[in-house]
Amino acid sequence: MSSIFIDANRKQIAGRRRIDFSLKLLFLVATSIGVIALMALLIDIITDGIHMIRPELFNNFPSRKASEAGMKSAIVGSLYMLLIMTPLSFLLGVGAAIYLEEYAKKNRITRMIQLNISTLAGVPSIVYGILGLTLFVRELHLGRSLLAGSFTMTLLVLPIIIVSAQEAIRSVPKSRRDASYALGATKWQTVSRSVLPSCISGILTGVILAMSRAIGETAPLVMIGALTFVAFLPTGPLDSFTVMPIQIYNWVSRPQASFQELAASGIIVLLVMLLLMNLSAILLRNKYNKHI
Amino acid sequence: MPNEALSTKSPKQLVNAAAKRDHGFRNEKSHLMDKIMPIALFLCAALSIATTIGIVATLIGETYHFFEKIPFIDFITGGKWSPLIDPKSFGIWPLICGTLLITVIACLVAVPIGLASAIYLSEYAPKKVRNIVKPILEVLAGVPTIVYGYFALSFITPIIRGLFADAGVFNALAAGIVVGIMIIPMVCSLSEDAMTAVPRSLRDGAYALGATRFEVALKIVVPAAFSGIVASAVLAFSRAIGETMIVTVAAGSTPKLTANPLESIQTMTAYIVQVSLGDTPHGSVEYGTIFAVGMTLFVITFLLNILAQYVARRFREEY
């Protein structure tokens, strides 16, 4: 009798082990799909575009001939946009985070602001474009300018910066603040000289994350009317402009194979820039972590 | 007596009390900063509320003008969308249909793969594998959408056209699959967060009863983390609805009521891009459609995001 039970048990256990093993394989395959997709994407883009990476790409303006077309105005436009957007979103975002973490009382207004920030993070980027079009381009009469684009991007990345800065500030132990107060510092002195310096690496990581989001965004800038064909460099913040993703979009949407390759080469430049930004985030983080 | 005061007051209160007695202790500038900064910082935080109000006011204002010219009932019931070509008609359903088609395909790709990856990473993977796979998924999440658009058009579309002879150059399937790939990292990291929050003791209990890893994952971890998993799927759905450049590049620009993923369609977001690329005069009906469609998009994604937050909070198992 008992041996029958044991045999049945053994069989059952072996069956369950088999299920466990095959499901483990299935989960592993599923996980590798993401990795394979990334590899396929990179290989596809590099094989299409690497031979178009040449001096003309960086020195020339867009052209109707693919052989002469470059993305100088787009690269400069993207950099100018970052130049205006980054300090602005840094000040506003970190300011909001300091308020919420250090100053805000736990009341309804604070909860509302907090909930609102997480809701804003989920708003599609194109909706920010609609806001930018109405508010900055029309109501504030900035036109289809670099400034209007940078302001729109600032609003778009603020939730990212606020949330990451809040996390960084929250990670500073209370003892640090108490030590500062014990030395006679005021609240602002404590925040600016004790709390912020000890979490600046976390804050900067969030800012760089936000910058890399902004440099890849296309839709909101199409909305506010960044042009697709710009054969000049913007000389002031009120000039019209284009950015790298829009130039890439313009090339992608042309049927000729040569422009498709040009688009791939533009993507390589964009991805390399993103890579450099993320590397600098890691380096910054390591450097500041050593100081503390 | 002074000792008693020490024990009941926080350091900050003590400092303030000391500051009242001794004015020479700190300089005037620091006092000024302590008056200005709270207000300035509050204004920074209030900007987020102003942004929301700005979005809602913009959309409502222009949408109202639009519905003064086009009856709301035509917009919400009409089955034909051709606002740029005569005879004009303004039925939103073809755009919603196109958007849903993309979103459903994307979720069919992203939710199973994302969830399976999350289970693998949280229950099976050795630490070494996690340390390699997680950054790769982060990179996947950081790729700009225009790059995905190019990938859809140059890599996925040819494969699909090879498999299905009647697939168009622009089709919903290629765009949907790539939108799905784009949101895999989001589903994966959100569900994994929910799974790692399940206490270790629950797993240990099941292992002690002789359960296999798969049984622990399916019968203990997934049910315990269910609210977080559902919330991640809802957020993925909302993200797919709002995705713009992939569908603009790869899904085409022909709004139609179809469930055939091999056809060219148009989503709400792609329509908005199409109109804003053209030269539409401010104040015209065509210009108004941007806001009416944008409003529809905003309301749908807003409701989904609220739903995700509600699910995550309401059905959370507390440990």
Side-chain angles (χ1 to χ4, degrees):
Chain A
M1 274 302 272
S2 68
S3 76
I4 298 174
F5 274 128
I6 290 170
D7 277 355
N9 252 343
R10 274 208 187 117
K11 240 184 209 163
Q12 196 223 1
I13 288 173
R16 284 165 57 204
R17 285 238 172 96
R18 261 200 302 280
I19 292 177
D20 185 46
F21 181 73
S22 45
L23 263 300
K24 180 185 173 178
L25 276 187
L26 189 70
F27 292 148
L28 183 62
V29 169
T31 310
S32 54
I33 288 179
V35 179
I36 293 168
L38 184 65
M39 294 300 149
L41 184 144
L42 290 178
I43 292 169
D44 176 47
I45 285 161
I46 290 171
T47 50
D48 285 359
I50 195 76
H51 66 281
M52 297 294 274
I53 303 276
R54 62 217 196 296
E56 286 89 338
L57 189 67
F58 303 97
N59 294 331
N60 285 14
F61 289 115
S63 159
R64 245 166 290 164
K65 287 185 209 147
S67 57
E68 289 170 15
M71 59 190 310
K72 185 180 181 184
S73 51
I75 294 174
V76 172
S78 279
L79 291 179
Y80 280 176
M81 192 191 74
L82 283 185
L83 212 62
I84 301 175
M85 184 212 88
T86 309
L88 206 58
S89 53
F90 177 81
L91 287 178
L92 293 171
V94 176
I98 295 173
Y99 176 78
L100 289 170
E101 289 301 315
E102 300 287 331
Y103 285 90
K105 297 185 181 69
K106 292 227 176 301
N107 57 19
R108 263 183 45 210
I109 296 175
T110 309
R111 268 202 305 278
M112 201 174 82
I113 294 177
Q114 195 70 64
L115 187 71
N116 185 54
I117 288 168
S118 55
T119 314
L120 276 181
V123 172
S125 60
I126 195 158
V127 173
Y128 283 96
I130 294 178
L131 173 68
L133 176 66
T134 317
L135 182 62
F136 300 129
V137 177
R138 301 233 174 261
E139 298 295 328
L140 297 181
H141 300 289
L142 294 176
R144 299 168 180 280
S145 66
L146 197 52
L147 207 55
S150 308
F151 284 167
T152 309
M153 279 304 176
T154 303
L155 294 184
L156 177 78
V157 300
L158 266 183
I160 304 175
I161 296 187
I162 295 175
V163 171
S164 63
Q166 272 186 290
E167 271 167 25
I169 293 172
R170 221 176 291 149
S171 73
V172 177
K174 187 167 179 298
S175 57
R176 235 172 210 278
R177 297 180 180 86
D178 288 346
S180 169
Y181 287 133
L183 290 172
T186 65
K187 178 126 199 171
W188 174 245
Q189 284 172 329
T190 302
V191 169
S192 62
R193 296 181 204 173
S194 176
V195 177
L196 284 185
S198 49
C199 65
I200 193 73
S201 65
I203 292 177
L204 287 179
T205 313
V207 170
I208 292 179
L209 200 75
M211 286 167 74
S212 41
R213 168 85 192 271
I215 204 174
E217 272 295 343
T218 324
L221 294 176
V222 170
M223 287 299 306
I224 68 133
L227 302 174
T228 52
F229 194 95
V230 176
F232 54 85
L233 296 181
T235 52
L238 288 174
D239 280 0
S240 51
F241 72 113
T242 190
V243 291
M244 286 193 282
I246 290 186
Q247 183 64 64
I248 293 166
Y249 169 60
N250 179 257
W251 285 335
V252 169
S253 53
R254 293 181 192 213
Q256 299 96 325
S258 52
F259 276 106
Q260 295 291 322
E261 287 164 9
L262 209 52
S265 69
I267 288 173
I268 295 176
V269 177
L270 182 62
L271 290 181
V272 167
M273 273 181 132
L274 281 171
L275 188 73
L276 289 179
M277 282 162 74
N278 284 308
L279 273 183
S280 62
I282 294 167
L283 290 179
L284 258 177
R285 189 160 47 188
N286 291 345
K287 187 177 167 226
Y288 275 96
N289 278 351
K290 265 180 217 150
H291 281 302
I292 296 168
Chain B
M1 278 301 137
N3 281 344
E4 202 173 277
L6 262 177
S7 61
T8 53
K9 284 181 176 170
S10 75
K12 193 178 73 183
Q13 284 170 320
L14 281 173
V15 169
N16 286 343
K20 267 179 206 152
R21 261 179 278 126
D22 183 6
H23 284 288
F25 187 51
R26 278 169 296 181
N27 57 31
E28 285 302 310
K29 194 181 143 231
S30 67
H31 280 294
L32 190 67
M33 289 303 272
D34 267 294
K35 287 208 178 80
I36 296 172
M37 287 322 284
I39 301 167
L41 296 174
F42 173 74
L43 289 179
C44 293
L47 183 67
S48 80
I49 301 277
T51 308
T52 310
I53 294 173
I55 289 174
V56 173
T58 305
L59 289 173
I60 288 180
E62 296 280 346
T63 309
Y64 180 77
H65 287 308
F66 175 74
F67 286 129
E68 279 179 338
K69 294 170 200 155
I70 306 296
F72 178 69
I73 195 79
D74 289 1
F75 181 76
I76 205 73
T77 59
K80 189 162 182 282
W81 180 261
S82 71
L84 306 175
I85 311 155
D86 287 318
K88 293 181 177 174
S89 69
F90 299 90
I92 185 78
W93 282 103
L95 292 183
I96 292 186
C97 172
T99 306
L100 280 182
L101 189 57
I102 295 285
T103 308
V104 167
I105 295 170
C107 285
L108 286 179
V109 171
V111 172
I113 295 178
L115 192 54
S117 312
I119 293 176
Y120 181 76
L121 289 177
S122 101
E123 302 303 313
Y124 287 94
K127 211 175 168 205
K128 257 186 195 164
V129 178
R130 277 173 59 94
N131 287 347
I132 298 170
V133 172
K134 289 207 79 172
I136 291 180
L137 289 179
E138 269 168 42
V139 171
L140 203 60
V143 172
T145 54
I146 182 69
V147 178
Y148 278 117
Y150 177 84
F151 179 61
L153 199 60
S154 74
F155 190 80
I156 304 287
T157 302
I159 295 177
I160 287 172
R161 296 192 78 193
L163 292 174
F164 306 98
D166 53 344
V169 177
F170 302 109
N171 61 71
L173 187 57
I177 290 173
V178 175
V179 174
I181 292 174
M182 184 193 79
I183 54 181
I184 286 174
M186 195 179 123
V187 178
C188 176
S189 78
L190 289 177
S191 335
E192 201 212 334
D193 286 349
M195 288 179 199
T196 32
V198 175
R200 172 130 200 99
S201 58
L202 280 185
R203 292 187 181 87
D204 289 345
Y207 284 130
L209 291 172
T212 62
R213 269 184 192 269
F214 172 65
E215 285 160 354
V216 170
L218 190 75
K219 294 176 185 167
I220 306 292
V221 178
V222 170
F226 198 66
S227 67
I229 294 170
V230 172
S232 82
V234 176
L235 280 180
F237 200 85
S238 150
R239 182 77 191 277
I241 287 178
E243 168 42 41
T244 309
M245 291 322 286
I246 300 174
V247 288
T248 304
V249 168
S253 52
T254 38
K256 64 175 88 148
L257 281 168
T258 175
N260 180 358
L262 299 177
E263 283 185 56
S264 159
I265 51 112
Q266 188 167 43
T267 65
M268 294 189 274
T269 48
Y271 171 76
I272 296 175
V273 168
Q274 186 198 356
V275 174
S276 54
L277 277 176
D279 212 9
T280 357
H282 172 63
S284 64
V285 179
E286 290 85 349
Y287 186 79
T289 56
I290 295 180
F291 295 89
V293 175
M295 183 81 185
T296 316
L297 180 70
F298 178 71
V299 168
I300 294 176
T301 51
F302 183 77
L303 290 179
L304 283 172
N305 290 345
I306 299 280
L307 177 70
Q309 283 177 11
Y310 174 78
V311 168
R313 217 175 308 144
R314 174 71 177 74
F315 298 102
R316 181 162 55 204
E317 308 262 343
E318 297 281 356
Y319 299 105

